[in-house]
Amino acid sequence: MKNKKKLALLSLVAVPSLLYSAPASAANVTGQPSTAYIYSSSYYNSNVSNVVQMINNINNTTSTFQVNLEAALKAYNALTELEKQYVTNYSTLSAHQQTRIAYRKLAAQIEDKLNSVESTAVNYYQNVMETRDWYNTLNAAQKSFVSDSAKKILTSYISPNTSVDKVVNKIQLINSSRLTFHKDVADARAELNALRRFSNISLPVGIEQLLLDAEQLVLKDKASAKEVEDAIAALSPKTSTAQDVQEVKTAFEGLTPVQQQLVPNVWTLVDFVQGKYTLPTKDNVPKTPVLSDKAAVPGKTTAMTKNKNIYTAKINVADSEIDTERFILTTKNKMTIIIPPLYTLVNEDEGVIDIQVTKRGNRITLQATLNKKQITFDANMEIIIEGLSANSSINHLNDFGKQVPADFIVSGNRHIIQTTTPGTFQIIRN
């Protein structure tokens, strides 16, 4: 894949588990049960017992969650370092602290939404109602993190900042030629919704139909603008000709001013029109690669196709493809093939990678080509073989046909061959 070569750092880091070792028990000296030592220890005392109970009393769904958590933390921090080791449910206390962080973020999000609309705005009532619905889904503990000022608004009666006359007047003034047309339609709808939520009102005959017609026109505007947006996004300095650019420019100019302001990438079109890029001529436009519709999906497991003892799979290589995920290819012969992310592919080309794995007895051959050329990765491809004895080894056939030790690791009942290029490997069963 062109211009996507990156330095891959693919390694397995083994992180040993952190094991807690309890103090030597009395059973080591006297033969008595270890629990007798622990509970007679001066470090497991009423202070420790009190903290353990306080942690057990914390409930992250009740209004006392914050108070109980703070009290437990204070009591825990007052213990000595040795006493803290006997607080057997400290992990629960730690989990509650993480829950508190999450509740604070949730409360902040609710308050941000509530404050996102000025109290004088016509859609203020609607925003409060939407935020109130969200607030009412919270449990008592979550609600306790919302500020008192926000709670007052969310639990008090409010009325819309509008009236039937105002809504009717706003709808009648909607004009599709104004640059504010879409905003005017959205504001009118928001104001009408707010009014209806407050009371069961009806508009004069034909007024609401005007709003519905305007909303349909908004949808058409957005659809027309999206077509041009997609056409601009499809322009490429590598494959688009001057004629392609002119066609997109003509399409943009065919939009109304209201529609044109909905095209977010118009400045990309301006760059093409003003000659920022040197475009290919019609005769030397690079060919678009023909991709496979049955290719393996990056980041997911794909079963390879079997024909006798040969397994095959295809991988698409193009700018449009995801290049940060591995490909996991499985066989019915206790083998799995791992292909690294495409950004580690050395070959600067696009098309379809053909993967072929052949297993004859103890010999495994991996072939991988892109446009009939053997591929190379900066990262390792892996052939995972299951069920070999632990003392089995694997050789690699070099360019001269001689067997040399292959790069492989053993993990449980799996042997994992690692290679940046295709090749043939021989299993040595010791």
Side-chain angles (χ1 to χ4, degrees):
M1 180 176 293
K2 294 182 180 180
N3 301 322
K4 287 201 172 183
K5 177 179 175 184
K6 301 179 183 177
L7 180 60
L9 179 60
L10 303 177
S11 61
L12 296 175
V13 181
V15 181
S17 299
L18 299 178
L19 302 179
Y20 169 71
S21 298
S25 68
N28 298 123
V29 180
T30 65
Q32 297 299 318
S34 59
T35 53
Y37 172 82
I38 292 176
Y39 286 98
S40 64
S41 169
S42 61
Y43 300 117
Y44 192 91
N45 51 34
S46 60
N47 292 335
V48 174
S49 177
N50 181 53
V51 171
V52 170
Q53 187 58 50
M54 292 178 73
I55 295 174
N56 287 335
N57 290 340
I58 299 173
N59 186 330
N60 62 11
T61 65
T62 64
S63 59
T64 60
F65 172 60
Q66 290 195 71
V67 175
N68 291 347
L69 175 57
E70 285 297 334
L73 281 170
K74 183 177 180 180
Y76 175 81
N77 291 330
L79 297 177
T80 67
E81 292 304 314
L82 287 173
E83 286 174 333
K84 288 178 181 178
Q85 294 184 28
Y86 288 87
V87 178
T88 55
N89 55 354
Y90 174 75
S91 60
T92 301
L93 180 63
S94 181
H96 282 313
Q97 292 182 77
Q98 294 303 312
T99 299
R100 176 170 61 178
I101 293 173
Y103 285 1
R104 283 173 174 168
K105 289 181 178 179
L106 177 61
Q109 291 171 349
I110 287 178
E111 292 185 35
D112 286 345
K113 175 170 175 53
L114 183 63
N115 296 327
S116 64
V117 178
E118 294 291 336
S119 60
T120 56
V122 293
N123 60 333
Y124 174 71
Y125 175 85
Q126 181 178 354
N127 182 63
V128 172
M129 292 299 102
E130 292 173 354
T131 310
R132 179 177 295 178
D133 289 342
W134 185 8
Y135 174 79
N136 288 336
T137 65
L138 307 186
N139 60 43
Q142 292 168 327
K143 288 179 178 178
S144 70
F145 287 86
V146 178
S147 68
D148 291 339
S149 58
K151 286 180 186 176
K152 184 176 181 180
I153 297 173
L154 295 172
T155 58
S156 301
Y157 171 83
I158 64 169
S159 60
N161 299 326
T162 187
S163 65
V164 172
D165 290 341
K166 286 182 179 180
V167 172
V168 170
N169 184 58
K170 187 176 285 278
I171 294 175
Q172 289 176 330
L173 289 176
I174 291 176
N175 188 330
S176 61
S177 63
R178 290 178 181 169
L179 291 179
T180 59
F181 170 58
H182 287 203
K183 183 178 182 304
D184 294 341
V185 173
D187 287 347
R189 172 57 68 183
E191 197 163 341
L192 177 58
N193 289 344
L195 194 61
R196 280 187 169 156
R197 191 159 186 170
F198 173 67
S199 60
N200 185 22
I201 60 96
S202 60
L203 300 180
V205 177
I207 294 299
E208 186 162 9
Q209 188 59 49
L210 291 176
L211 180 57
L212 292 173
D213 292 343
E215 289 174 331
Q216 288 300 312
L217 187 54
V218 167
L219 293 178
K220 291 180 180 179
D221 286 346
K222 290 181 177 179
S224 298
K226 188 64 169 61
E227 288 181 4
V228 175
E229 177 187 347
D230 292 343
I232 295 174
L235 292 175
S236 168
K238 299 178 183 178
T239 60
S240 299
T241 64
Q243 181 179 353
D244 295 330
V245 174
Q246 182 57 46
E247 289 176 357
V248 178
K249 177 176 178 288
T250 300
F252 178 79
E253 291 172 341
L255 299 177
T256 67
V258 172
Q259 294 169 341
Q260 288 179 353
Q261 67 180 355
L262 299 177
V263 181
N265 55 352
V266 62
W267 290 108
T268 300
L269 175 60
V270 171
D271 288 339
F272 278 96
V273 172
Q274 293 183 346
K276 179 179 179 179
Y277 307 106
T278 300
L279 303 178
T281 62
K282 186 175 182 180
D283 296 330
N284 64 357
V285 175
K287 294 182 179 180
T288 302
V290 179
L291 303 179
S292 172
D293 58 356
K294 297 181 180 179
V297 179
K300 296 185 178 181
T301 300
T302 302
M304 301 184 75
T305 301
K306 182 182 180 182
N307 184 8
K308 296 183 179 181
N309 61 344
I310 299 175
Y311 293 89
T312 59
K314 295 181 181 294
I315 295 175
N316 287 332
V317 181
D319 287 340
S320 59
E321 301 300 306
I322 298 173
D323 69 345
T324 57
E325 299 286 347
R326 300 186 307 166
F327 297 84
I328 305 171
L329 312 177
T330 60
T331 72
K332 296 181 179 179
N333 203 7
K334 294 184 178 181
M335 288 191 305
T336 301
I337 314 301
I338 306 296
I339 304 299
L342 293 179
Y343 76 77
T344 66
L345 181 64
V346 174
N347 304 58
E348 295 185 351
D349 205 350
E350 296 185 345
V352 178
I353 294 177
D354 290 299
I355 306 290
Q356 179 175 301
V357 180
T358 306
K359 189 175 188 301
R360 292 187 175 91
N362 291 327
R363 178 166 291 192
I364 299 172
T365 300
L366 170 64
Q367 295 175 294
T369 59
L370 173 59
N371 298 329
K372 299 182 179 181
K373 295 180 181 178
Q374 179 174 286
I375 62 173
T376 301
F377 286 94
D378 278 334
N380 281 322
M381 294 183 285
E382 295 181 343
I383 304 175
I384 302 174
I385 309 169
E386 298 181 13
L388 298 181
S389 59
N391 59 350
S392 296
S393 61
I394 300 174
N395 287 341
H396 174 233
L397 271 65
N398 64 17
D399 294 338
F400 302 101
K402 293 185 178 182
Q403 295 189 26
V404 296
D407 290 331
F408 72 94
I409 60 175
V410 179
S411 176
N413 67 337
R414 302 183 306 170
H415 283 59
I416 305 173
I417 303 172
Q418 298 179 321
T419 177
T420 58
T421 58
T424 299
F425 303 90
Q426 184 74 33
I427 300 172
I428 310 298
R429 300 177 186 270
N430 297 320

